[in-house]
Amino acid sequence: MIQFGIIARNFSSSSAVQSAIKNVTVIGGGLMGSGIAQVSAQAGQNVTLVDVSSDVLAKAQKSIGTNLGRVVKKVYKDNPAEGEKFVAESLGRIKTLTDPSEAAKSADLVVEAIVENMEVKHKLFKQLDGVAPSHTIFASNTSSLSINEIASVVNRKDKFGGLHFFNPVPVMKLLEVVRGAETNDATYQAMMSWGKSVGKTCITCKDTPGFVVNRLLVPYICEAIRLFERGDASARDIDIAMKLGAGYPMGPLELADYVGLDTNKFILDGWHKKYPDQPLFNPIPLLDKLVSEGKLGVKSGEGFYKYDKK
Ligand code: CAA
Ligand code: NAD
């Protein structure tokens, strides 16, 4: 019930809501960036998708094509010709680049979805601030870092905010819109309208660790990993328990693999450093071990479970 029709609803609502933002640059073509590029293109916006790796960009284009096919199966099931047109037009709106500076020059909005690391994000935004037009809004899709801290390196702090999407982006309906201390009203309103234009239900968040969803979800996932680490239950049983006992669509360990164990670790390590007295944020030896072994979850082919390598 949760899944059925979600894409269709996203698609139809995205056609209905207009945003002044027409040119979107998405930086980071991984799990999240590819989804953000897809929903923006579906909504009729011109998208430039940027990654340091051209292999990642090729993979992103392929997965966007596959996921648009899922939309077509539902929305255009009685009109395959229209469906083909929709896929071709959406894909045609996405260009790819490996140079973020070049991509930012024509952007109304830049959404950053690169690795969850403050230094790397600072380096990128400093670079972008020097080249993007003065009207360009900058947003980070960070899961756990402070928007104010990310924005500290740019001059346009009034045009900086958080746009926190959920994985898988084409399916999950929520967008957390984060107001930083200096985000002005016009930027906040533009981010809210843009979020609606790409089919999302927007909520407003303060710049607090994990905003709303991750402040609740990450400690839950971490407690599940600790439960498994202690040997209190098998991975399969923990996941079955939360699916059948609490009605969650995925169990916590499946979800950890889905999000990426590296991303989970980046989040936890960052919070532990900042809040060393909070036991919920303590490092988890098993998580550290899996990440050090390159077992990052679905994206690497193994985490708590094994997957067909993507
Ligand atoms: N892209 C596009 N569509 C997708 C998709 C993807 N990557 N994955 C699944 N879908 C679509 C399918 O086409 C299918 O659509 P229909 O039912 O309309 O045909 C629907 O979603 C369900 O897919 P499946 O039947 O293949 O699989 P499922 O029923 O197991 O659902 C799921 C998959 C939607 C991912 C579901 O398991 C779910 O909601 N899981 C929880 C996801 C979640 O909690 N996400 C948040 C993670 S936390 C986060 O993102 C924040 C952060 O900062 C870390
Ligand atoms: P990912 O590892 O799948 O993708 C990150 C991409 O960024 C990689 O392809 C990498 O090559 C690229 N990259 C790194 N540095 C770059 C740079 N300087 N310029 C251009 N590209 C660069 O990661 P992801 O899961 O998509 O996460 C991206 C961001 O989104 C993180 O901040 C993460 O916390 C956040 N986020 C993740 C999830 C999730 O479920 N995985 C959900 C919401 C938010």
Side-chain angles (χ1 to χ4, degrees):
M1 192 189 75
I2 294 174
Q3 292 87 354
F4 184 77
I6 283 178
I7 294 175
R9 277 203 302 278
N10 278 352
F11 175 64
S12 51
S13 56
S14 64
S15 338
V17 183
Q18 296 298 317
S19 159
I21 290 164
K22 302 291 177 218
N23 300 302
V24 181
T25 290
V26 180
I27 307 194
L31 218 49
M32 298 305 289
S34 59
I36 298 166
Q38 179 185 331
V39 295
S40 308
Q42 270 178 232
Q45 295 155 12
N46 304 313
V47 181
T48 306
L49 180 61
V50 183
D51 202 283
V52 284
S53 153
S54 39
D55 285 351
V56 167
L57 290 171
K59 204 173 141 195
Q61 277 173 314
K62 197 167 158 230
S63 80
I64 292 170
T66 307
N67 290 333
L68 286 170
R70 292 166 126 152
V71 179
V72 167
K73 267 197 195 151
K74 228 162 307 152
V75 182
Y76 296 102
K77 62 176 181 300
D78 301 323
N79 194 344
E82 263 308 296
E84 270 177 41
K85 188 167 162 252
F86 161 76
V87 172
E89 284 179 357
S90 301
L91 286 175
R93 290 189 200 106
I94 303 175
K95 71 173 185 184
T96 58
L97 279 177
T98 50
D99 178 4
S101 295
E102 192 52 40
K105 281 184 190 158
S106 54
D108 300 319
L109 170 69
V110 173
V111 184
E112 167 274 311
I114 66 169
V115 64
E116 187 73 340
N117 177 296
M118 188 61 83
E119 274 172 38
V120 184
K121 290 192 196 282
H122 273 168
K123 193 166 167 233
L124 175 70
F125 277 116
K126 244 190 235 168
Q127 180 188 351
L128 298 177
D129 202 29
V131 290
S134 57
H135 78 277
T136 307
I137 293 175
F138 287 174
S140 175
N141 180 54
T142 180
S143 298
S144 64
L145 301 173
S146 156
I147 292 298
N148 292 333
E149 216 174 313
I150 301 175
S152 66
V153 296
V154 301
N155 290 319
R156 62 186 81 203
K157 296 184 180 58
D158 55 337
K159 295 194 186 74
F160 200 111
L163 287 171
H164 185 222
F165 285 86
F166 295 84
N167 180 25
V169 177
V171 180
M172 305 309 283
K173 294 195 68 184
L174 183 69
L175 177 64
E176 291 182 327
V177 176
V178 188
R179 282 195 87 146
E182 295 183 51
T183 311
N184 68 19
D185 281 346
T187 301
Y188 165 70
Q189 292 302 346
M191 290 197 304
M192 292 292 278
S193 325
W194 180 77
K196 285 180 199 149
S197 81
V198 298
K200 301 303 176 196
T201 298
C202 299
I203 63 161
T204 305
C205 298
K206 289 186 180 166
D207 185 25
T208 54
F211 317 123
V212 174
V213 172
N214 282 345
R215 182 61 184 83
L216 301 172
L217 195 60
V218 172
Y220 153 72
I221 289 176
C222 290
E223 281 299 279
I225 301 174
R226 293 185 181 106
L227 191 78
F228 174 60
E229 187 181 44
R230 288 195 299 270
D232 292 350
S234 70
R236 191 62 71 189
D237 282 354
I238 292 169
D239 284 336
I240 289 174
M242 292 313 289
K243 284 189 283 191
L244 303 189
Y248 286 27
M250 274 180 176
L253 301 177
E254 284 176 305
L255 186 56
D257 275 357
Y258 195 65
V259 164
L261 299 187
D262 50 346
T263 299
N264 280 288
K265 178 173 157 53
F266 287 138
I267 298 173
L268 196 62
D269 288 352
W271 286 354
H272 177 63
K273 204 168 156 199
K274 228 169 167 177
Y275 308 97
D277 297 332
Q278 171 53 269
L280 283 173
F281 303 157
N282 279 347
I284 307 174
L286 176 61
L287 180 63
D288 294 346
K289 178 172 177 288
L290 289 169
V291 172
S292 72
E293 290 169 353
K295 293 175 182 164
L296 309 181
V298 179
K299 64 179 158 189
S300 74
E302 187 172 349
F304 291 101
Y305 300 98
K306 288 196 173 155
Y307 305 88
D308 292 335
K309 209 155 183 183
K310 295 214 167 171

